[in-house]
Amino acid sequence: MSTKSNSQTSGATSFVSVEGLTKRYRDDLPPVFENVSFTIEQGEFICVIGHSGCGKSTILNVLAGLERPSEGHVIVRNREISGPGLDRGVVFQNHALLPWMTVEGNIAFAVRSRYPDWTRERIIAHGARFIEMVGLKGAEKKKPSELSGGMKQRVGIARAFAIEPRMLLLDEPFGALDALTRGVIQDELLKICTATQQTVFMITHDVDEAILLSNKIMLMSNGPRARIAEIVVNTLPANRQRETMHHDPQFYRIRNYLVDFLVRRSKELSATHGDRPDTGRVAAAATRLVYPGLDDGAAAPVAVARAAGPNLKAIA
Ligand SMILES: Nc1ncnc2c1ncn2[C@@H]1O[C@H](COP(=O)(O)OP(=O)(O)OP(=O)(O)O)[C@@H](O)[C@H]1O
Ligand SMILES: [Mg+2]
């Protein structure tokens, strides 16, 4: 196993730089997560995995500008974010559609805010591409109450894609989808990301999905006082395919590492950190980069990280 500390955490020129985030909902309770720092480069696809309640959605909401951290900052393209913006498209865990609008209307509403000068026809035609992409052609005139959970989730995905944001923030976007639809949309997501250098921050509970889509996987320890314990670098080739990636022995090394973290190590890490007295802000520590299955010195870690796919910057 090869490891390396995350030298990018200082990241003044990173696309996104998250510095020392702590979130405390109540002063008499320990923070949900503490001193979370990481960077995201343009074109990177980052997945976050961790147990329920560790604070994944809260971090995503802070990145979206919808939630304020108790401590710390989020810098996007050298500017601290102070609220939501159309440069960040969000797919929420709970759909968050406007209930009085149709599928088409929900998407048109978002497209109009992004492109206020466009004609109604252009807005509808643009939205239609994304409605088709998520397999909802024919359901344009339906309201959210007439849709299944998976269909609502797909409207949320189409809406986020339709505003063509610089960064997509996806909170378990495929959780409610059947396997077939999930596969189609994952493939579409990869295609779009590859073509547009899309930067993605995605929460998932599905380790196979994380290995297919991301080039780095952040592991969050259990809360309270959750933190980014490690960042696993996906060393599978960039052109991996869902149908064949399990033939690569490296797939199982990465998968076993992630599963082992979820079933065992996330708990152990929280036991050693979770019940500490509240001592104020802990000094920033560099997060370890991990290369499961690679012997120390077997490959230059930075070179591997750059080659690991889908490094969208490299292949776009
Ligand atoms: N508005 C709130 N007020 C108080 N506590 C909150 C609030 N929102 C979230 N929490 C708490 O913060 C913790 C983290 O919540 P969050 O939704 O970020 O977890 P998560 O990692 O996304 O979980 P899941 O995998 O179940 O979606 C939980 O313990 C939750 O109860
Ligand atoms: Mg969540």
Side-chain angles (χ1 to χ4, degrees):
M1 177 99 37
S2 177
T3 63
K4 178 180 182 290
S5 67
N6 182 9
S7 56
Q8 294 173 357
T9 42
S10 64
T13 57
S14 292
F15 186 65
V16 178
S17 181
V18 172
E19 298 168 2
L21 282 196
T22 296
K23 182 68 183 182
R24 194 181 282 108
Y25 283 105
R26 280 177 42 183
D27 287 341
D28 56 336
L29 292 178
V32 176
F33 54 81
E34 184 171 54
N35 202 22
V36 164
S37 298
F38 59 89
T39 56
I40 307 175
E41 303 307 320
Q42 184 163 10
E44 271 193 322
F45 197 128
I46 306 280
C47 273
V48 185
I49 61 176
H51 282 284
S52 181
C54 69
K56 304 178 297 295
S57 293
T58 307
I59 292 180
L60 183 136
N61 288 338
V62 172
L63 286 175
L66 298 167
E67 182 103 59
R68 292 198 68 79
S70 307
E71 287 170 40
H73 310 272
V74 177
I75 317 268
V76 178
R77 295 193 302 144
N78 293 323
R79 289 183 63 179
E80 180 162 5
I81 59 163
S82 55
L86 290 163
D87 56 336
R88 283 156 283 144
V90 188
V91 176
F92 295 98
Q93 201 169 0
N94 61 358
H95 322 308
L97 304 178
L98 300 171
W100 63 91
M101 285 189 179
T102 62
V103 167
E104 189 179 71
N106 264 281
I107 293 167
F109 183 80
V111 175
R112 189 173 299 114
S113 12
R114 174 77 168 88
Y115 301 111
D117 299 337
W118 284 12
T119 61
R120 183 178 153 70
E121 291 68 37
R122 189 168 178 196
I123 287 171
I124 296 295
H126 180 81
R129 273 175 47 209
F130 295 91
I131 291 173
E132 188 163 2
M133 179 197 98
V134 298
L136 283 179
K137 202 164 171 6
E140 292 89 341
K141 304 294 181 201
K142 291 194 171 168
K143 295 204 171 143
S145 60
E146 302 172 88
L147 304 175
S148 70
M151 290 166 89
K152 284 186 223 169
Q153 192 63 288
R154 282 185 273 159
V155 180
I157 293 166
R159 180 178 59 184
F161 278 47
I163 63 165
E164 303 176 304
R166 286 182 182 276
M167 178 162 62
L168 276 172
L169 301 169
L170 310 178
D171 196 347
E172 298 186 45
F174 310 130
L177 305 185
D178 65 277
L180 198 63
T181 312
R182 173 182 274 242
V184 169
I185 300 184
Q186 283 172 345
D187 288 344
E188 201 59 43
L189 175 60
L190 265 186
K191 225 186 287 167
I192 291 180
C193 291
T194 306
T196 61
Q197 278 198 49
Q198 183 73 64
T199 308
V200 186
F201 180 87
M202 170 166 147
I203 298 168
T204 180
H205 283 285
D206 180 338
V207 294
D208 294 333
E209 177 170 277
I211 298 172
L212 175 69
L213 296 176
S214 67
N215 56 334
K216 281 185 193 149
I217 302 156
M218 299 201 313
L219 305 181
M220 270 188 91
S221 62
N222 295 359
R225 300 182 188 285
R227 59 207 174 87
I228 307 295
E230 289 167 357
I231 300 175
V232 172
V233 179
N234 190 351
T235 47
L236 285 181
N239 60 355
R240 58 184 170 269
Q241 307 275 326
R242 175 201 333 283
E243 295 80 16
T244 53
M245 70 175 176
H246 59 281
H247 295 308
D248 188 326
Q250 188 61 6
F251 170 78
Y252 286 101
R253 296 186 191 115
I254 299 170
R255 192 176 197 284
N256 290 346
Y257 193 89
L258 300 179
V259 172
D260 187 54
F261 177 85
L262 287 174
V263 299
R264 190 175 61 81
R265 294 180 54 239
S266 57
K267 251 175 270 156
E268 290 170 8
L269 283 163
S270 76
T272 52
H273 288 265
D275 47 9
R276 237 179 5 224
D278 197 345
T279 51
R281 186 144 179 251
V282 178
T287 309
R288 238 168 35 122
L289 288 180
V290 182
Y291 301 78
L294 292 185
D295 293 329
D296 280 334
V302 173
V304 172
R306 288 281 161 231
N311 185 337
L312 307 161
K313 187 157 54 176
I315 58 181

